[in-house]
Amino acid sequence: GSSNTSAGVNLSKTNADSNNPLIAADSDGNVYIVWEETVPDPDHKELYIAKSGSSGSAFTSANSLTDIQHCPVSKLHDMSG
């Protein structure tokens, strides 16, 4: 049989570790991906977002939302609810 698999896409365009992705979509077909990324200092993490207006076919450049040093995404979940 055939396999329809593809390689992952590096939305941040860096070699840094990217973790804890969250994906959401809206009724207009926009797809949003938010993730935690390690930046030069291993204990330093930032939250990034990228958007696709083409149902996930292509994404905008990654944008840093905030510096979340010592505050992983899992703790942000705890704060929201």
Side-chain angles (χ1 to χ4, degrees), residues 22-52:
L22 299 172
I23 302 171
D26 63 25
S27 60
D28 294 328
N30 296 308
V31 177
Y32 303 87
I33 300 179
V34 177
W35 68 95
E36 176 186 277
E37 184 154 324
T38 303
V39 292
D41 176 351
D43 292 327
H44 183 91
K45 299 194 184 293
E46 290 192 15
L47 193 61
Y48 281 83
I49 187 169
K51 175 186 171 187
S52 171

Side-chain angles (χ1 to χ4, degrees), residues 7-71:
V9 176
N10 184 347
L11 294 176
S12 62
K13 310 249 189 291
T14 71
N15 292 326
D17 289 335
S18 299
N19 300 293
N20 302 313
L22 299 172
I23 302 171
D26 63 25
S27 60
D28 294 328
N30 296 308
V31 177
Y32 303 87
I33 300 179
V34 177
W35 68 95
E36 176 186 277
E37 184 154 324
T38 303
V39 292
D41 176 351
D43 292 327
H44 183 91
K45 299 194 184 293
E46 290 192 15
L47 193 61
Y48 281 83
I49 187 169
K51 175 186 171 187
S52 171
S54 58
S55 299
S57 296
F59 284 86
T60 61
S61 295
N63 292 300
S64 176
L65 293 174
T66 185
D67 171 357
I68 56 170
Q69 187 170 9
H70 306 295
C71 182

